[in-house]
Each structure stands twice: as structure tokens, then as C-alpha cells.
Amino acid sequence: MENKELDYMLMESQIDLKGVTIDLFPLYQDVNNEEIPEDSVHEIFFQWGRDDGQSTFSNVLKQNTSVTFVSSCHYDRMFYYFKWTNPMLIDLSGLPSVHRILMIRDITQRLRLLDEQNDKGNKMLTGIGETTVNFKLEDIKFSLLLKPTNSQPGNALLTMQRTAGEPYEERHQKVEEFDCFAKLDAKEIDSIVSRARRTGKPITDSDINSREEDKVQKKMAEEMNFFMLLYDFEVARRLQRPFSNESHVLDSLPIAIGIAMIHRINGTRENQRWMFFSGLFQGKYESRKLVLEDIVVAFKECNEPRRSWTEGDLNNILCEQFGSHKLFR
């Protein structure tokens, strides 16, 4: 028997290949006052409401209330490793953005908890191998290659299939170079993306008011879908609780409020290009916090600068951008 075959058999004996199934029902988390970061509105908004019951939620998920991950063995650079993935895509169609975000948070959380209980040979996230979670939003297919770290346990690489060519990959600098931001004004992009987030529907070329060729409009619609999903994931990756000593630094910033304010700012920029605040997602905590402060200043300049913004106002801004917690409206 060759060494490769023997190595494979040894690996098989250590890994449970029957598949791993997890629930997709809401994972309720009690908010601990000691865990709430500086901005409690953000932390409380991204929690399941207790009225989001399992029977109602199962209807929204079209009875797909669990997901099974299966593994396959691969060989690379002198060793074997296992890839885990879900052949049946998790359907997020019709879910407002806030629920998409919470679903992503819950799946990562459940897999992390499962990993803590398993021995080294059966771990899906921190063992020998990798785990990819596949989703769909109507006809859009996207995935997350989970890459948890001590500082960001919700970390992953987002990719989205496109009609032609290589998939879109999570790269903020590349996103800023998309055609949609060069050809459409900021106010229209804000309107299109915000509506898609609230309704749980993908962006299509029919949403775009442009004289560009059909193929160009379809490409811009794809770009805006990836832009929307990327920013949703930027929120979801920071919601793993409880905090660790390392994760509290980056994951306590109220990123979603920053994103909602960026949209409010750009919603006033008719006939102007989209204003990015990309430093919000890059660099050390101190630099990100400064960018968030700049966003707040710019937001107030565009929206009644003398007004005193309350927690209720901030909650309304989050609802306006990420959708309502009510599953049926």
C-alpha cells in the first residue's frame, strides 16, 4: 500500500464523515450589561426579537430549518486536509438585511460552539481543514470561507458568483473601482441598495435608471449586490459574543450605525459620486474609531446639524437601512 493511501485511511479514521447538521432557527442571546459596548443601540438592534418564533421563521425559511455540512478529503503539499461545505444552499431570499446578518452570525456561532466540543480530529474551524458556508439570495449565490481568529472570531472571506468571469471576492479597494460608482450618482445607489436591504430582494438591472447598455446595467446590478452583501458581512463578522479580550477591541465598534450614516450622507449627494469611508473597515482600532467619528460629523452636517440625535433616532436609522425585525409586514 502506498504512503498516500495509508495517510488517507489514517485521516479518515480520525474524521467523522457522516456530516454535521446544525439548526437555522434564531439563536437568542441575552444581552449582558457588561458585554454592551459604548453604543447600546447597535448591540440591542442586532438581536432576534422574542416574537420571531420558530413556526413563523420556518415558513420564511421554506421549511429549510437546518443545514448539513459534508466533508471531502484533499491533498496538497504533502498532507491531506478536509473541506466542509453545505451542498444544499441556505436560502436567505425575502429576509431583510438585519435577519441575513443574524443568520450569518448564528451559523458561525453554532459551528464555533460545536468545534469547542469536538476533539482535534473532528474540528471544522480550527483543525486540519476549512469550512465554507453557501447561501443564495434568489438567483444570487455567495459563500463564506470561515477564517476565525482570536481577535475576530466571526472572520471569513466573502465571495459571490457573477454571470461571467471570476467570482467577486472581498476586497474593499476593488469595490470602490466598480462601474456602478463611476456611472451612477450617490443618491440613486443609496436608494437602490437601501430598498434591497429592507425588502430582502436582490438588485436587478430593472432597478437602475440608466441609459447604459443592458449588459452594463446587469453588471452594475451585480456589483451593487456584492457591495450590499459585503457591508452586511462587515456587520455580521463583528457580532460573535461573548467578547474575548482580543475581539472586544475591533468588534465593539458600532459599524452598522456607521454604514447607515454613510448611506444617509450619500442620499443627499444628487449628481455626485459615492463618498466612501473605507478606513472604517481597515487598520487598527484607533484609526477605525477616528473614521467613525468623521462619519458622524459628516452625517450631522447633512442632517439637521443642530438637532440632538436620540437613541430612538439611531434605532430608526438602523431600521431604515437594515430593515424591520418584523418578519411579515
Side-chain angles (χ1 to χ4, degrees), residues 192-206:
I192 292 170
V193 175
S194 298
R195 182 170 60 249
R197 275 205 176 102
R198 292 192 301 270
T199 61
K201 295 180 179 180
I203 298 163
T204 67
D205 57 322
S206 63

Side-chain angles (χ1 to χ4, degrees), residues 141-280:
K141 297 178 181 179
F142 66 100
S143 62
L144 291 171
L145 173 59
L146 303 183
K147 294 177 173 287
T149 65
N150 289 334
S151 60
Q152 284 208 302
N155 207 33
L157 175 66
L158 171 70
T159 59
M160 188 189 92
Q161 293 184 14
R162 67 169 88 196
T163 304
E166 293 295 317
Y168 293 100
E169 258 191 22
E170 175 196 336
R171 296 288 185 272
H172 281 279
Q173 185 177 353
K174 292 292 185 182
V175 168
E176 295 182 18
E177 298 170 0
F178 281 173
D179 285 349
C180 61
F181 296 113
K183 296 178 182 294
L184 302 175
D185 75 37
K187 185 175 182 179
E188 182 177 6
I189 294 171
D190 164 58
S191 175
I192 292 170
V193 175
S194 298
R195 182 170 60 249
R197 275 205 176 102
R198 292 192 301 270
T199 61
K201 295 180 179 180
I203 298 163
T204 67
D205 57 322
S206 63
D207 295 317
I208 301 172
N209 182 21
S210 170
R211 295 182 179 179
E212 299 289 342
E213 296 178 3
D214 288 349
K215 65 178 182 180
V216 176
Q217 294 210 159
K218 290 182 184 297
K219 181 174 181 287
M220 291 194 295
E222 280 189 339
E223 290 173 342
M224 282 190 281
N225 277 312
F226 185 71
F227 168 67
M228 172 180 70
L229 292 171
L230 177 58
Y231 276 40
D232 281 359
F233 172 60
E234 288 290 358
V235 179
R237 78 197 310 171
R238 293 170 169 82
L239 296 179
Q240 295 297 303
R241 302 292 183 268
F243 288 119
S244 67
N245 291 335
E246 295 91 345
S247 71
H248 192 281
V249 176
L250 288 177
D251 289 355
S252 61
L253 282 175
I255 294 294
I257 290 178
I259 292 171
M261 287 184 172
I262 288 172
H263 272 268
R264 274 286 194 98
I265 293 165
N266 282 286
T268 66
R269 293 173 58 80
E270 190 171 6
N271 298 321
Q272 299 179 70
R273 296 299 175 220
W274 186 268
M275 181 182 290
F276 288 97
F277 293 84
S278 51
L280 184 63

Side-chain angles (χ1 to χ4, degrees), residues 61 65 139 206:
L61 292 174
T65 55
D139 59 346
S206 63

